[in-house]
Amino acid sequence: MDRLVVAVVQAGSRLFDTSEMLRKTLDLIRAAARQGGEVIVLPEAFLGGYPKGLDFGVTVGQRSAPGREEFRRYWDSAVDVPGPETDAVAALTRELGCHVVVGAVERSGRTLHCVALFFGPGGLLAKHRKLMPTGAERFIWGFGDGASLAVVDNGRARLGSAICWENYMPLFRTAMYAKGVDVWCAPTVDDRDNWQATMRHVALEGRCFVLSACQYLLRADLPADVHPVQGEDPDTVLIGGGSVIVSPLGEVLAGPLRDGEGILTAELDLGELARARFDLDVTGHYGRPDIFSLHVDERAKEGIVLCDHGDQPPCPPAAQ
């Protein structure tokens, strides 16, 4: 019980083809489970797609009709949570008895969100919405709130997630450390070499295992009628991978994986968590609550709450 086999999946997500991506997601989860994966992580926006190189016709102060149509296709590719796609993944994790974290694009009301979805033997367990879309992602994705700072206990370790550049948010990391995350799941599309330093830093700072799953995406993975800024050569690499597994003392256990799709696995010694926390716990014995404090608001921030009072209690107060 002091060992946990984890798997990190590196693969590309074809845009505007959700049914194919669901099939690929299920196949990759099965493949990772066959390699012993008890906790499996897939990349950011894997279900729904990451539109690397697209601009959706946006310039400052102006949008274009073709860009709106491109967004309409992207909207149609997103998934409902819960919905048919999440039901299919939930059925598979029930069958396999494993835990899975999948990056997805969630369609909620009239807004899209980048999310990390947690599945396990109990089905769909939790959802984390990316708090701060990065750069031009703000054209297409809404903001998450504190209600989805999800942590899932699988009975042996506590799983949490930070999506891509959320890993650069010190206060977010601190809040998640305070929740006792043991296995830090980082779905991403950041393929830069310095991402490796970030993952090792998070592992060292949080004294947790880090599982970073990045896409490996080629121009050929995009439809022919979509024109990324990187060019039209089918072999052009849009997202170059770099998936990695890191120990709580910053040791690289597997990866980084480059130059193609694949699955990384590692057997984690869960005893390493206590050994690493012996001399550093940034929200415990190494913290200074007499000097520093952090308030985390975990209320859902719904801008509009529609109430039909009737015989029901009054509406809750609007979030401040």
Side-chain angles (χ1 to χ4, degrees), residues 304-310 312-317:
I304 298 175
V305 179
L306 301 177
C307 296
D308 180 9
H309 291 297
Q312 302 301 312
C315 288

Side-chain angles (χ1 to χ4, degrees), residues 66-140:
R68 291 184 185 278
E69 173 59 17
E70 198 163 69
F71 180 78
R72 197 269 317 159
R73 297 173 70 185
Y74 192 57
W75 171 272
D76 287 347
S77 301
V79 302
D80 296 319
V81 182
E85 292 81 12
T86 62
D87 289 347
V89 178
L92 182 59
T93 56
R94 288 191 189 99
E95 173 192 334
L96 298 176
C98 60
H99 284 78
V100 175
V101 177
V102 181
V105 180
E106 176 199 14
R107 185 173 45 230
S108 177
R110 299 180 177 187
T111 296
L112 299 181
H113 291 275
C114 179
V115 297
L117 303 176
F118 294 74
F119 298 88
L124 176 61
L125 303 177
K127 172 181 71 180
H128 167 58
R129 284 180 174 170
K130 193 173 188 178
L131 297 180
M132 177 57 68
T134 301
E137 293 173 359
R138 295 171 208 170
F139 298 149
I140 55 174

Side-chain angles (χ1 to χ4, degrees), residues 28-264:
L28 288 168
I29 292 171
R30 291 189 186 97
R34 285 195 297 270
Q35 295 185 37
E38 300 168 90
V39 173
I40 301 165
V41 183
L42 279 75
E44 180 180 13
F46 198 70
L47 280 171
Y50 190 86
K52 185 69 177 282
L54 277 62
D55 62 15
F56 294 91
V58 174
T59 55
V60 175
Q62 186 174 342
R63 264 68 63 197
S64 72
R68 291 184 185 278
E69 173 59 17
E70 198 163 69
F71 180 78
R72 197 269 317 159
R73 297 173 70 185
Y74 192 57
W75 171 272
D76 287 347
S77 301
V79 302
D80 296 319
V81 182
E85 292 81 12
T86 62
D87 289 347
V89 178
L92 182 59
T93 56
R94 288 191 189 99
E95 173 192 334
L96 298 176
C98 60
H99 284 78
V100 175
V101 177
V102 181
V105 180
E106 176 199 14
R107 185 173 45 230
S108 177
R110 299 180 177 187
T111 296
L112 299 181
H113 291 275
C114 179
V115 297
L117 303 176
F118 294 74
F119 298 88
L124 176 61
L125 303 177
K127 172 181 71 180
H128 167 58
R129 284 180 174 170
K130 193 173 188 178
L131 297 180
M132 177 57 68
T134 301
E137 293 173 359
R138 295 171 208 170
F139 298 149
I140 55 174
W141 295 338
F143 291 55
D145 60 29
S148 70
L149 303 185
V151 173
V152 170
D153 192 333
N154 77 345
R156 297 162 66 190
R158 293 172 63 80
L159 316 178
S161 181
I163 304 170
C164 206
W165 275 27
E166 284 186 319
N167 287 273
Y168 291 120
M169 299 175 70
L171 300 185
F172 175 74
R173 296 199 308 269
T174 302
M176 296 301 287
Y177 300 153
K179 288 175 173 281
V181 174
D182 300 313
V183 178
W184 184 281
C185 303
T188 189
V189 294
D190 193 328
D191 60 1
R192 301 169 303 156
D193 287 339
N194 55 13
W195 182 251
Q196 302 302 313
T198 298
M199 293 297 91
R200 296 184 73 183
H201 173 81
V202 171
L204 278 165
E205 179 182 68
R207 291 307 204 247
C208 52
F209 292 98
V210 170
L211 282 55
S212 179
C214 189
Q215 288 205 31
Y216 182 83
L217 187 72
L218 300 178
R219 167 64 185 88
D221 295 318
L222 272 60
D225 62 347
V226 171
H227 305 291
V229 297
Q230 294 90 339
E232 301 295 342
D233 185 335
D235 294 327
T236 297
V237 177
L238 303 182
I239 307 173
S243 300
V244 68
I245 302 173
V246 187
S247 82
L249 289 176
E251 176 188 0
V252 175
L253 302 178
L257 179 60
R258 298 286 185 187
D259 302 324
E261 298 190 343
I263 298 174
L264 298 175

